[in-house]
Amino acid sequence: MNYILSSAAVEEAVLGAISPSRTLFDHENPNTYIDEPRNVQLAFYSLVTVADGCVDSSKEAFEEFESGADRCVSALETALQVLLKLRVTASEQGIALSGMLGATSVSALFSLLQSWILGARLALFVGTRHGDSSTAVRVSRVARQWLESKELRPVHPWVARSLQQLLDMATGPVPVAKERVLEDLFLLTQSPVSNQ
């Protein structure tokens, strides 16, 4: 897990996701814009549910959740830096950072961004439970940088929407409530929260 969210791994994942030398069909996956994000949202729901049940009673669990979620915030920040740096050299390397929906619409990068954004939501949920506002400040800064980056426009609408929701959560009431962090998981057909 630590390697997956390290700066080097994030940079490698972003470069691999937008590389023009990728084959058209790496593996059979009928709709990476629906299936993968839905699976990530289901896993996110499970993580929030587990975190809600144990982070207040176990310091070790709190630290583990906080650490993993914080790495997702770092991954979002690193991905933005990598894409901004690549923008300068993109034409030389044959990498398309623009187009109808920009680099964020490349399916592999889209999936990574969605998972990191949900990880940042988890960071807000766990990190703000004990009155610490530094997590909210950091998440809002990273989300705002993504949303205000004119160099990476256009941004896939789902990514932009997720980033705006993340910013709204980070600048809203603290601590971030479980219901708030789980709302609008738009690919789940029925919100698990409504069954409670």
Side-chain angles (χ1 to χ4, degrees), residues 5-129:
L5 295 173
S6 71
S7 292
V10 170
E11 183 170 354
E12 181 181 325
V14 170
L15 289 172
I18 62 174
S19 171
S21 64
R22 288 185 67 233
T23 58
L24 181 57
F25 299 103
D26 290 332
H27 60 284
E28 185 177 342
N29 195 345
N31 191 337
T32 56
Y33 296 100
I34 300 293
D35 298 333
E36 287 183 35
R38 181 184 295 124
N39 291 339
V40 168
Q41 288 182 1
L42 286 168
F44 170 72
Y45 175 81
S46 298
L47 281 172
V48 170
T49 302
V50 170
D52 187 43
C54 70
V55 296
D56 291 332
S57 61
S58 168
K59 182 179 180 183
E60 293 82 20
F62 171 78
E63 290 172 352
E64 189 66 31
F65 273 99
E66 185 176 50
S67 173
D70 186 61
R71 286 193 298 269
C72 289
V73 179
S74 296
L76 263 179
E77 190 170 34
T78 301
L80 177 63
Q81 293 167 357
V82 168
L83 289 170
L84 289 173
K85 182 173 74 173
L86 277 177
R87 186 184 156 272
V88 176
T89 59
S91 61
E92 297 168 9
Q93 296 179 14
I95 298 172
L97 290 180
S98 61
M100 185 180 280
L101 295 174
T104 59
S105 64
V106 174
S107 64
L109 183 57
F110 175 84
S111 294
L112 289 170
L113 291 172
Q114 289 295 330
S115 65
W116 294 332
I117 290 167
L118 288 175
R121 277 187 178 196
L122 182 63
L124 286 172
F125 177 64
V126 174
T128 62
R129 286 179 77 106

Side-chain angles (χ1 to χ4, degrees), residues 65-193:
F65 273 99
E66 185 176 50
S67 173
D70 186 61
R71 286 193 298 269
C72 289
V73 179
S74 296
L76 263 179
E77 190 170 34
T78 301
L80 177 63
Q81 293 167 357
V82 168
L83 289 170
L84 289 173
K85 182 173 74 173
L86 277 177
R87 186 184 156 272
V88 176
T89 59
S91 61
E92 297 168 9
Q93 296 179 14
I95 298 172
L97 290 180
S98 61
M100 185 180 280
L101 295 174
T104 59
S105 64
V106 174
S107 64
L109 183 57
F110 175 84
S111 294
L112 289 170
L113 291 172
Q114 289 295 330
S115 65
W116 294 332
I117 290 167
L118 288 175
R121 277 187 178 196
L122 182 63
L124 286 172
F125 177 64
V126 174
T128 62
R129 286 179 77 106
H130 299 286
D132 179 16
S133 63
S134 64
T135 301
V137 170
R138 181 167 181 237
V139 169
S140 68
R141 179 182 51 79
V142 172
R144 190 170 278 116
Q145 286 173 338
W146 267 96
L147 290 167
E148 292 176 354
S149 175
K150 291 179 178 39
E151 297 87 357
L152 292 182
R153 289 202 179 135
V155 173
H156 190 286
W158 284 2
V159 173
R161 176 181 179 203
S162 296
L163 287 165
Q164 185 60 56
Q165 290 171 331
L166 183 64
L167 179 60
D168 293 345
M169 284 179 207
T171 57
V174 173
V176 177
K178 177 183 178 182
E179 293 74 23
R180 175 77 170 117
V181 83
L182 289 176
E183 75 183 12
D184 198 32
L185 294 180
F186 55 93
L187 292 176
L188 298 180
T189 55
Q190 181 178 2
S191 174
V193 175

